[in-house]
Amino acid sequence: MKKSKQSTKTLVVLCAFISIAFGLVVSCKTKDSPSNEWSQWRGPNRDGISLEKNLLKVWPVEGPVLAWSVDSIGEGFSSATVCGQTVFTTGKRDSLEILTAISLNDGSVLWTGVVGRASKKNDWPQSRCTPTVYQGKVYASAISGDLSCFDCETGKIEWSKPVYDIYDGQEKDEATESPLVFDDKIIVTPCGEKTTMVALNRLTGEVIWETESIGDTASYASPVFIETPVRKAIFASTRNFDLLVDGNTGEIIMKEPHISGMVPQVMGNEIYFTGEYKKGGSLYKYSEDLSERNLIWNDTVSAFPIGGCVPYQNKILVSGFRKGLFCIDKENGNVVSVFDDMNGCNFTLADDMIYTFENRKGNVDLFTMNADTLQMVSQFKISQGKGAQIAHLSISNGLLLVRRGEVLMAYNIKQV
């Protein structure tokens, strides 16, 4: 029994790294960005969906062509973001976390910059937070809660703030947020005694608003943008609560007991919460003013917390806790298809194909959906890097970006 609890605890700790992992699926209001850019964690809208077309439907037996790889990005689980012809990701180097800018064309390093202090006490000190790119700036957070803004082209630091120190964050050395851009604000959730969430001016780092403190500690999650015809708000999870905060004023609209799931999926005014260990997921509908929520259905799928979920047509795709890729009917929560021969994975969708990255095996798989049935059409195993294989996949400009440890690999998946 003790061994089982320890295994579960270890997995939960690993999940923290996914700001890679924890951008709780969100729209970052980057509507001015080209559709083939991957401007933040899990894509243009943080839903795991790429808008690219004309991608390969089947890969060669040995896998798609490796266009380039770079092995100097530092230790980490952060995934890659792309703006123009530049790729960004973070990593740990000695006592610091760094941001590396890489040429999309050939993998050459363009510049590096210091994001902030790395962890000194955490059991998993590698970088976790995926940078966010918006209108010529790139925003990156370190595990210590240090937040920095860089010029995309030159790497010059525009401003930097030790956010967790300022607000007495209750989970120091536990920052897992991929910064959220909302209008001209950067949203962060230090969960301190002074405030729970704060909005900073994205150009200067000056405070725009602060919420009241709810006296809770941080969760392994990032804030999420949610919009209805009458309101714009930020969804966030702390350890014990789910919050909705008015995006313009910082007023807490709703505070409810925390539902399961580390990577909720926003779909209009509905949110799907993936299930935790031995617990299924659930779909909730929120009122237009976002002041209340009501359960639509529960399902029976225990999810791999790092993997999250992706909406697909009228379905929801979910990675199983230990194995399996599940397809759930969005109307009723029933499982319509399962691919069993699969370890816990993260995944993304592009051009009607499903891309998965398996945690234990290190396989990158390509799936299609045929008459509500998941079918694997191609597979290859990555050959570089070491450590946990949990960084989320990125797709941009015909390249599939895969990260393991200190190595970022770019595979050509564009049709000729």
Side-chain angles (χ1 to χ4, degrees), residues 8 242 257-262 272-282 284 293 295 298-305 318-321 328:
T8 301
D242 290 332
H258 177 55
I259 301 173
S260 64
M262 295 184 179
Y272 175 72
F273 297 85
T274 54
E276 294 178 335
Y277 179 57
K278 293 186 177 180
K279 181 178 180 181
S282 55
Y284 280 78
R293 64 185 179 192
L295 176 67
N298 290 314
D299 62 49
T300 59
V301 178
S302 294
F304 182 54
V318 182
S319 173
F321 179 72
I328 299 171

Side-chain angles (χ1 to χ4, degrees), residues 36-47:
N36 64 341
E37 290 191 351
W38 200 264
S39 57
Q40 56 183 325
W41 178 72
R42 299 191 76 221
N45 296 302
R46 286 200 183 180
D47 54 6

Side-chain angles (χ1 to χ4, degrees), residues 24-26 38 41-51 263-267 271-275 283 297 299 301 303-320 325-330 336 345-357 369 374 392-393 395:
L24 296 186
V25 203
V26 58
W38 200 264
W41 178 72
R42 299 191 76 221
N45 296 302
R46 286 200 183 180
D47 54 6
I49 298 175
S50 167
L51 303 179
V263 191
Q265 177 70 58
V266 174
M267 298 172 288
I271 299 181
Y272 175 72
F273 297 85
T274 54
L283 181 68
W297 47 253
D299 62 49
V301 178
F304 182 54
I306 292 172
C309 61
V310 175
Y312 180 64
Q313 297 176 356
N314 62 339
K315 308 292 192 302
I316 300 174
L317 300 173
V318 182
S319 173
L325 182 61
F326 292 79
C327 178
I328 299 171
D329 191 319
K330 186 177 178 293
V336 297
C345 68
N346 72 74
F347 53 99
T348 188
L349 268 62
D351 201 12
D352 290 324
M353 304 298 286
I354 304 160
Y355 298 74
T356 68
F357 184 26
M369 195 75 151
L374 289 162
H392 275 240
L393 300 171
I395 294 177

Side-chain angles (χ1 to χ4, degrees), residues 55 89 147 185 228 246 273 277 289 300 316 344 374:
L55 302 179
T89 195
L147 176 67
K185 308 176 186 74
T228 70
D246 188 286
F273 297 85
Y277 179 57
D289 65 357
T300 59
I316 300 174
L374 289 162

Side-chain angles (χ1 to χ4, degrees), residues 325-341:
L325 182 61
F326 292 79
C327 178
I328 299 171
D329 191 319
K330 186 177 178 293
E331 294 300 314
N332 51 35
N334 293 335
V335 175
V336 297
S337 180
V338 182
F339 185 86
D340 283 325
D341 189 19

Side-chain angles (χ1 to χ4, degrees), residues 118-383:
S119 173
K120 294 181 180 180
K121 63 181 181 180
N122 198 281
D123 292 337
W124 297 87
Q126 299 90 335
S127 71
R128 312 171 181 181
C129 309
T130 296
T132 298
V133 186
Y134 185 73
Q135 293 188 355
K137 310 295 181 186
V138 54
Y139 303 90
S141 182
I143 194 173
S144 60
D146 293 345
L147 176 67
S148 297
C149 168
F150 298 80
D151 180 272
C152 285
E153 185 174 348
T154 66
K156 176 186 175 183
I157 295 181
E158 303 286 345
W159 56 264
S160 184
K161 277 196 167 185
V163 178
Y164 274 40
D165 290 347
I166 292 172
Y167 292 100
D168 193 24
Q170 296 182 38
E171 289 292 310
K172 292 181 181 179
D173 284 343
E174 290 289 340
T176 60
E177 294 182 301
S178 296
L180 168 63
V181 177
F182 167 68
D183 292 336
D184 278 331
K185 308 176 186 74
I186 294 292
I187 308 296
V188 290
T189 316
C191 283
E193 294 182 0
K194 300 176 182 179
T195 185
T196 294
M197 181 185 292
V198 60
L200 305 176
N201 183 298
R202 74 173 188 87
L203 296 176
T204 66
E206 297 300 314
V207 175
I208 296 176
W209 52 250
E210 300 169 346
T211 69
E212 63 181 290
S213 174
I214 63 171
D216 199 14
T217 54
S219 174
Y220 294 137
S222 297
V224 186
F225 177 75
I226 181 170
E227 181 177 11
T228 70
V230 300
R231 203 158 207 170
K232 294 180 179 180
I234 313 299
F235 177 90
S237 290
T238 62
R239 187 176 299 276
N240 297 300
F241 296 101
D242 290 332
L243 302 177
L244 277 166
V245 176
D246 188 286
N248 294 315
T249 67
E251 173 196 0
I252 295 179
I253 304 166
M254 186 195 76
K255 183 179 79 170
E256 295 285 350
H258 177 55
I259 301 173
S260 64
M262 295 184 179
V263 191
Q265 177 70 58
V266 174
M267 298 172 288
N269 66 331
E270 296 177 343
I271 299 181
Y272 175 72
F273 297 85
T274 54
E276 294 178 335
Y277 179 57
K278 293 186 177 180
K279 181 178 180 181
S282 55
L283 181 68
Y284 280 78
K285 186 172 184 177
Y286 289 71
S287 60
E288 282 203 345
D289 65 357
L290 301 176
S291 63
E292 63 180 39
R293 64 185 179 192
N294 294 292
L295 176 67
I296 299 177
W297 47 253
N298 290 314
D299 62 49
T300 59
V301 178
S302 294
F304 182 54
I306 292 172
C309 61
V310 175
Y312 180 64
Q313 297 176 356
N314 62 339
K315 308 292 192 302
I316 300 174
L317 300 173
V318 182
S319 173
F321 179 72
R322 296 195 187 281
K323 70 172 187 175
L325 182 61
F326 292 79
C327 178
I328 299 171
D329 191 319
K330 186 177 178 293
E331 294 300 314
N332 51 35
N334 293 335
V335 175
V336 297
S337 180
V338 182
F339 185 86
D340 283 325
D341 189 19
M342 164 74 68
N343 282 277
C345 68
N346 72 74
F347 53 99
T348 188
L349 268 62
D351 201 12
D352 290 324
M353 304 298 286
I354 304 160
Y355 298 74
T356 68
F357 184 26
E358 296 185 62
N359 174 33
R360 296 183 183 178
K361 296 180 180 178
N363 292 330
V364 180
D365 309 313
L366 184 65
F367 284 84
T368 187
M369 195 75 151
N370 187 2
D372 289 345
T373 300
L374 289 162
Q375 295 181 338
M376 181 188 290
V377 295
S378 295
Q379 180 184 82
F380 74 98
K381 187 178 183 69
I382 63 169
S383 58

